Amino acid sequence: RCVELIRKGQHVPRGTIQVAFKHKTFEEIKRYGVSDDIIKAYKSTAKDDNEMYMLTVEKLLPKGPAHDAGVRNGDVLYKINGKMIHSYIDAESFFDDNIGKKI
């Protein structure tokens, strides 16, 4: 999508929810109260060992879109609209593809 817009000399809009994520191991995630069933389901959709962690909200912009939607520091991101999210790239791609849409 971005390459095509650049080739056309157009602006590349970027989606953001004003959040900084951090990788956490499954042992750390269990301390957040995430169930073994969710972790098992998450692991089953990982492509490789590089996806054997989960994303947590490290920082968020007060009054930003995520904050206004109820996201808080320490929240665990594992699905968006029913799709497992395994990396920053997965999350950023989803936000970029859904600019202006409610998620």
Side-chain angles (χ1 to χ4, degrees):
R1 177 183 74 83
C2 295
V3 172
E4 201 55 42
L5 290 171
I6 291 168
R7 284 184 181 147
K8 292 177 182 177
Q10 297 177 348
H11 171 74
V12 178
R14 303 292 294 175
T16 182
I17 60 170
Q18 302 295 313
V19 170
F21 295 105
K22 184 173 183 176
H23 293 126
K24 298 278 185 171
T25 66
F26 293 120
E27 289 304 314
E28 291 174 295
I29 290 299
K30 284 182 183 181
R31 286 181 257 165
Y32 283 73
V34 176
S35 73
D36 288 335
D37 289 339
I38 289 174
I39 291 173
K40 183 178 176 182
Y42 189 84
K43 285 180 176 181
S44 74
T45 63
K47 296 178 207 132
D48 56 42
D49 287 345
N50 292 326
E51 294 185 344
M52 289 298 167
Y53 53 79
M54 295 178 88
L55 296 175
T56 60
V57 175
E58 182 73 9
K59 298 177 188 174
L60 74 155
L61 182 70
K63 306 290 184 191
H67 182 268
D68 291 349
V71 176
R72 297 295 179 259
N73 287 333
D75 283 355
V76 178
L77 175 69
Y78 67 97
K79 273 187 184 179
I80 301 176
N81 287 3
K83 182 180 184 254
M84 294 282 189
I85 300 297
H86 288 277
S87 68
Y88 302 118
I89 294 171
D90 289 346
E92 289 173 1
S93 294
F94 180 85
F95 299 134
D96 285 349
D97 291 344
N98 288 281
I99 294 171
K101 298 177 187 172
K102 186 174 182 175
I103 55 172

